Amino acid sequence: MIKDFEVTDASVHDSQPAPELIDRIPGNSELYRDSAYHSDEIRDAIKEKNINAKICSKGTRSNSLTEEDKIENKKISKIRPRVEHVFADIKSFGGDFLRTIGIERVKVQLTLVAITYNIRRYKFLQGA
């Protein structure tokens, strides 16, 4: 279920509103994120809220992943696709294509998209 979201201009990188969004997360939660959200400011906000951050480790040509890193990445990779399925479902009913001008109108339209997704998801969960 979509509980919260933030709308920004297209020129704003996804990681920019992250510290504000992290403030909205209850303490002692888990946060699954990708490498785009790997900065000192975000790391400090996560530590301040006592959030257990899960991020996949990356190997490089000169520094390969350890077996422990591979096991942890596998655990994280089982959870993160659930988030990507939300975006895929929204895309399936056209929620990824907005034909409007102005950030306030975009916020309204995305709120309606989130409500629509939540209704569809609720209906699915009721049948499960």
Side-chain angles (χ1 to χ4, degrees):
M1 302 294 279
I2 299 173
K3 296 178 182 177
D4 196 6
F5 64 92
E6 186 70 30
V7 178
T8 61
D9 292 329
S11 62
V12 177
H13 188 268
D14 291 348
S15 65
Q16 297 304 312
E20 179 186 326
L21 293 172
I22 290 168
D23 285 340
R24 299 180 195 171
I25 299 172
N28 298 322
S29 298
E30 286 188 339
L31 175 65
Y32 291 85
R33 60 192 181 120
D34 61 19
S35 59
Y37 303 94
H38 198 68
S39 72
D40 292 336
E41 183 181 10
I42 294 171
R43 192 176 312 113
D44 291 343
I46 288 170
K47 284 182 182 178
E48 186 177 305
K49 292 281 291 192
N50 196 25
I51 295 172
N52 185 12
K54 304 284 188 175
I55 183 169
C56 285
S57 300
K58 282 187 170 184
T60 61
R61 199 177 304 164
S62 61
N63 188 16
S64 60
L65 292 175
T66 65
E67 283 302 314
E68 292 171 354
D69 288 338
K70 290 178 184 177
I71 292 168
E72 187 64 24
N73 282 355
K74 194 170 188 176
K75 289 177 187 175
I76 294 169
S77 296
K78 289 181 180 179
I79 302 294
R80 286 201 60 234
R82 294 179 186 170
V83 175
E84 301 302 327
H85 288 184
V86 173
F87 299 121
D89 190 37
I90 288 172
K91 192 173 185 177
S92 75
F93 62 83
D96 66 326
F97 185 71
L98 306 176
R99 297 193 91 171
T100 188
I101 297 173
I103 193 121
E104 292 304 317
R105 289 181 178 163
V106 170
K107 287 178 184 178
V108 169
Q109 194 165 357
L110 286 176
T111 300
L112 294 173
V113 166
I115 291 168
T116 303
Y117 171 79
N118 284 346
I119 290 170
R120 289 166 47 106
R121 184 70 178 152
Y122 179 77
K123 186 176 177 183
F124 172 79
L125 292 172
Q126 288 297 327

